[in-house]
């Protein structure tokens, strides 16, 4: 198992907090804060694409 470095949680009012993490092997992780043993894993490139798409408004319909 790789050592995951978790970022501080991203929280919304009254919502669950999400955490992003990376490891030294180029993997990226997303989890719910407090449940770091359960996560989604993909490449850092996939995480980068997800963040850029969110910033570009491609997930605004979910708000």
């Amino acid at each position: 198992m790789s050592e995951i470095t978790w970022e501080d949680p991203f929280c919304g009012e009254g919502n669950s907090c999400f955490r992003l993490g990376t490891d030294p092997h180029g993997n990226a992780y997303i989890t719910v804060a407090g449940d770091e043993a359960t996560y989604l894993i993909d490449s850092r490139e996939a995480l980068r694409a997800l963040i850029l798409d969110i910033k570009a408004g491609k997930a605004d319909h979910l708000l």
Side-chain angles (χ1 to χ4, degrees):
M1 175 64 93
S2 300
E3 181 181 332
I4 302 169
T5 302
W6 293 107
E7 298 292 324
D8 290 336
F10 295 92
C11 302
E13 283 187 41
N15 295 319
S16 297
C17 298
F18 295 94
R19 296 186 79 182
L20 302 176
T22 57
D23 71 19
H25 305 287
N27 298 309
Y29 303 81
I30 301 174
T31 191
V32 174
D35 193 17
E36 285 78 2
T38 305
Y39 49 78
L40 296 173
I41 182 173
D42 207 324
S43 66
R44 287 187 188 189
E45 292 77 20
L47 177 61
R48 183 177 299 111
L50 173 67
I51 291 169
L52 290 173
D53 283 350
I54 289 170
K55 288 176 71 174
K58 293 183 180 180
D60 287 357
H61 63 284
L62 299 173
L63 301 175

